[in-house]
Amino acid sequence: MSEIKEQAKKCGVLGCTGMVGQRFLTLLSRHPSFKVFKIGASSRSAGKPYEKACKWKLSEALDANISKLVVSECKPENFQGCDIIFSGLDSDVAGEIESSFRSAGFAVFSNAKNYRMDPSVPLVVPLVNADHIDSVANQKARYGGYIVTNANCSTTGLVLPLKALMDAFGVLKSISVVTLQAISGAGYPGVPSLDIIDNVVPFIDGEEEKIETETRKILGTFDGVQFLDAPGTNVSAHCNRVPVLDGHLSCISVSFETKSKPSIAEISRAFEKYVPLPCEMECYSAPSSSIRVLEGVDRPQPRLDRYAENGFAVTVGRVRKDTVFDVRFVALVHNTILGAAGSSILNAEIAERKGLL
Amino acid sequence: MSEIKEQAKKCGVLGCTGMVGQRFLTLLSRHPSFKVFKIGASSRSAGKPYEKACKWKLSEALDANISKLVVSECKPENFQGCDIIFSGLDSDVAGEIESSFRSAGFAVFSNAKNYRMDPSVPLVVPLVNADHIDSVANQKARYGGYIVTNANCSTTGLVLPLKALMDAFGVLKSISVVTLQAISGAGYPGVPSLDIIDNVVPFIDGEEEKIETETRKILGTFDGVQFLDAPGTNVSAHCNRVPVLDGHLSCISVSFETKSKPSIAEISRAFEKYVPLPCEMECYSAPSSSIRVLEGVDRPQPRLDRYAENGFAVTVGRVRKDTVFDVRFVALVHNTILGAAGSSILNAEIAERKGLL
Amino acid sequence: MSEIKEQAKKCGVLGCTGMVGQRFLTLLSRHPSFKVFKIGASSRSAGKPYEKACKWKLSEALDANISKLVVSECKPENFQGCDIIFSGLDSDVAGEIESSFRSAGFAVFSNAKNYRMDPSVPLVVPLVNADHIDSVANQKARYGGYIVTNANCSTTGLVLPLKALMDAFGVLKSISVVTLQAISGAGYPGVPSLDIIDNVVPFIDGEEEKIETETRKILGTFDGVQFLDAPGTNVSAHCNRVPVLDGHLSCISVSFETKSKPSIAEISRAFEKYVPLPCEMECYSAPSSSIRVLEGVDRPQPRLDRYAENGFAVTVGRVRKDTVFDVRFVALVHNTILGAAGSSILNAEIAERKGLL
Amino acid sequence: MSEIKEQAKKCGVLGCTGMVGQRFLTLLSRHPSFKVFKIGASSRSAGKPYEKACKWKLSEALDANISKLVVSECKPENFQGCDIIFSGLDSDVAGEIESSFRSAGFAVFSNAKNYRMDPSVPLVVPLVNADHIDSVANQKARYGGYIVTNANCSTTGLVLPLKALMDAFGVLKSISVVTLQAISGAGYPGVPSLDIIDNVVPFIDGEEEKIETETRKILGTFDGVQFLDAPGTNVSAHCNRVPVLDGHLSCISVSFETKSKPSIAEISRAFEKYVPLPCEMECYSAPSSSIRVLEGVDRPQPRLDRYAENGFAVTVGRVRKDTVFDVRFVALVHNTILGAAGSSILNAEIAERKGLL
């Protein structure tokens, strides 16, 4: 692998000590053509070797080479030589820092929410709207570099099956989604254990709004100049935090605009046949099937199914007739892999294939 | 209290060793006018003192007098002298046993599902449709005794706020409910820990159907002869099991038929002002407010709110505009108190007030 | 109750918003002769009504009157008129604040660790060494007021059964204790959920040392001038955090110095027959039995047994021969009731009986 | 890999649907020289393809080829052609079935408890007493085939560090172990969730006895004829069930017989330098280090460390002076890998190297 790594793209990871940052490092440590080159965090961590700066919280042990890397402050001058910048920064600092990297000419792939709804920045769920990445030409012209954001973790688990339905059956008239979200989505220390053991919390600050607005941008189009929201896509979201480590589950109901309603079998087939661009392009991290329809009557379940396709697929189950909408089903996404770091990495892989790095 | 208890109604509890049976005994041990007189379970437990027959699973210690009672088989001849029969029997045996008690002239208040949809048996959520109890006259005439059922635990948490909305704003056109249900709802041993730690299970056998059908009967009317379903009440239910001990939470969205949509403030007021019959009648177990609207942005939560009004109220929170329906909110019910044993007891209290015992 | 409350001792509660503070308020709200009069917390909370200043985390709802009380800063001048000061302060501020209250002449009953090992301050587990409270005369002479501390929560669950054994069988030569401690012991936000779901943490900072040193002082004697450690009481402690809300469980093994080893039956009897001073004095909060020996082969268990005697007793089970020590057993204490706020309150009740308030 | 697999030993797995059976299949599916050939379970499962017969409970997806295998009844005639039989059978049936396979000439590697203490059967923790396997010559002579058992899961996590200490410092005089054991150790359905959420259970039937007796046999010697218990090895065990999915943690205290007590540094070094036979032999499943000493002050932790060395190592931490014993530390073992199926497989690898297959 060392030889391949010679040719590898050099990556900088901002916000490397957080939950998403840890996932970035784990995924990149196994990546054949991306290599962790620089890591950044707050001034509190800067100057320390990673293993001292970080409370490692994943079950997979960290790569020994990465654990020796010294953490820098998140300033462009500390990341010279990087081909790609991944950002797992908290939103309270991401805005300014990512902007400074873009101005310094870097290609920034960010999981932070700050620029998602920015009219000049693409919001890309790689298995859904990879073509929106083309819009970075406009940013490049203006700033030198560019930012590509990926979506909120729970949004990601929703838009993938929705896109498969849109492609097959046209406009989605109304969508109801109720999420049961894992604690890792709140970072570390995140959710206090006193709040979640023997409990669920029916509220996640800002999450319902993110799902409702991001979905329209992601399912919409880029016309060369601007992003246009998907027409008629009306989403109602209730969000809950549950005592699960990883994996956001959603109960989804959908109504189609078309009068000729598809059958349950047709809908399941639409999920299974859905092949997004990164799968066609054979990107390294692309799953062999991006939506996996599970047969078990009680699936998907976070503990059993979150690592399907190494965490890069959405699993779907219980596709059945709805009594108020047209169809209902359950979907699961690994919130820190496909729902966060994994999508950023896939976005960078797409950018590489498109010659945008 | 001993004096009051002299006058007390003598109660038999069938299925006394299960989770609902344990809750029956706990609630009755503190009841001022109902007294546990006989307890019944399967032949495996019969003949043993309760403390030997039962694996007690509640945090509240069992009343010492009850723990000495000897368990009988569930046959009418073993329950002579009882004024009231409460049934927490499993559905695989409840059908035949409850029928035999009815034929022997007993007033049976059952939490089992077997007779809920029977056209001659009332399905009564006491804080919703107490008037359906009047229908027992028909059963009495035919069988000598009668059965009054209460609803599925998650149905109970749904119909109470729905009824308040119907009373205030008329027909409910469509309803979406996604439940996050506690493990005690599955009885003991019930849900294996390997299935639910670090996990949620998006399926509970038969539960969605129960919610969808029971709701229509409960919100419907009794015309003196038969039960008529509520018109236009279209319910879509997704059910999930979560790692919570007690307390079923529901994310509920509702659309009204009326064109003049009520405001959020009006809806909250409708919840707060709702006063069902058992509260008017001042039944012993009736809550001081049957729907409590909580202020906290992240409430209700099972661990913090399930014992509101001693577990006899539904707590509601996050009443807000919906983007697909008219309004959405979160509701919580204690599944083994108001959602099971508590409703049976309240039903018996109502029957007593109505002179039906 | 209002009449009794007229005569009630007026209580100030410092650190009222924390987990121990919340427990103080809950216990005092039901107390017949102690009444919450003033409440104190950090300057961040000062000036707000309690319900706004505090994230309430107990399942029992807070008393409505207390929730309206306005929080003060923890300065003696804000607590004029109080007969008793209870402190649930964090140790980083407790030292200075408690000292200032003592100097201002107050009787301070503290759950903080700061003064526990101070040679002039009694460390009192009320069901073990209530007589050490007499030592406050020395503090009063020197400072005007006094501080009485109670022990660490896990120490409390250990010394109660140890004292019963010492009283019955003499010197304890060696003691091994391994604790499984609840998350509420770490306060709020305390233990992050990512650290404890599907996990245990075999380390609690400073806890093992506290158990090993506090035990010797508590089981020792006060000779009128100073506190003398219990002779020969050698304790080895391993401490673990487990995903339990309330209730510290301990696996305890003990060897006696005496050659004539007591039988298991004699040991169980020694637990059951143990009657400490507050029980003799009939203090309001004293349990009817301070050590309850449970029969079940798998008891005590935190969820089922932590509220025995309203959380004021230690439950013991599995008393059996040891293969390395003389005897082993399991003990459980409610860490925020008898293990914290409850012991402070009992200490104040003892002081009241002894005329020390 | 297909070529290697041509040469592979053909394996039969008895009890293939249970938790240990599932782990056998997962580990064998990745094994370079062992291949799953036949699978057996109860008559209820026999005749069905594995995917229909089994409720799969591991997060790792099952190998697709294995999931198509048809389950047989556990009779020797159904396992013709197998070179190795692995048994994950429940103890209520393992005795008779394993005996019948031995009589039919098979080499049986069993995780069941039935023959562990049998004077003719070796009880082998492969990283501790691999040499005991030589004893199978005696069984072969008598029965045609033989049984090799591995130890109870919690015993395995204990004897590995104990053996390292014995090798370095001689006889261990007394040992105290308190376990915090995962729910997967109880199989499926196993521990009801109502028993373990927000709870710990301080009792596991028969477990303390197993630890105390098995340890002496494992740390003892085989003299060519019989097994001799380790002299002076006195073990006291308390066992607890905790809400953890996988990974048994133990708090261990040890006293040495030698007067010249080793230092903490020497003890840590003894753990790290310990190299058991399968590591020397370079068995495929042998870990690169069999005892890993972790630096973190709060490690090992089940969720973070159970997969160290793919679950084939014991991790140790908090090595420190004891106040009653000589040294104390914390140890963790993956209960269904090294603590069960993994040890059986390692035992078979050793037998293969020794030419005993």
Side-chain angles (χ1 to χ4, degrees), chain D residues 342-357:
Chain D
S343 276
S344 281
I345 291 171
L346 255 177
N347 280 341
E349 293 176 12
I350 296 165
E352 187 185 24
R353 298 291 167 113
K354 287 177 176 264
L356 295 167
L357 290 187

Side-chain angles (χ1 to χ4, degrees), chain C residues 174-176 178-180 194-204 208-209 212 234-246 249 251-253 297-304 306 318 320 322-325 328-330, chain D residues 174-176 178-180 194-204 208-209 212 234-246 249 251-253 297-304 306 318 320 322-325 328-330:
Chain C
S174 51
I175 299 144
S176 165
V178 178
T179 66
L180 292 82
L194 276 168
D195 283 342
I196 204 70
I197 289 182
D198 182 22
N199 206 19
V200 300
V201 179
F203 176 70
I204 302 174
E208 296 171 353
E209 296 74 9
E212 294 174 5
N234 210 12
V235 184
S236 163
H238 287 258
C239 292
N240 300 282
R241 187 75 68 192
V242 295
V244 164
L245 288 161
D246 290 308
L249 194 90
C251 295
I252 302 171
S253 290
V297 72
D298 57 359
R299 305 290 279 269
Q301 293 178 20
R303 189 174 76 79
L304 297 178
R306 59 195 168 203
R318 304 200 65 216
R320 61 207 197 282
D322 199 308
T323 47
V324 168
F325 296 81
R328 53 185 151 174
F329 55 92
V330 177
Chain D
S174 52
I175 299 144
S176 165
V178 178
T179 66
L180 291 82
L194 276 168
D195 282 341
I196 204 71
I197 289 182
D198 182 21
N199 206 17
V200 300
V201 180
F203 176 71
I204 302 175
E208 295 171 354
E209 295 74 10
E212 294 175 4
N234 209 12
V235 185
S236 164
H238 287 258
C239 293
N240 300 282
R241 188 75 69 191
V242 294
V244 164
L245 289 160
D246 289 309
L249 193 91
C251 295
I252 302 172
S253 291
V297 72
D298 57 357
R299 305 288 280 269
Q301 293 177 21
R303 188 174 77 78
L304 297 178
R306 59 194 168 204
R318 304 201 67 216
R320 62 206 195 281
D322 199 308
T323 47
V324 168
F325 295 82
R328 52 186 152 174
F329 55 92
V330 177

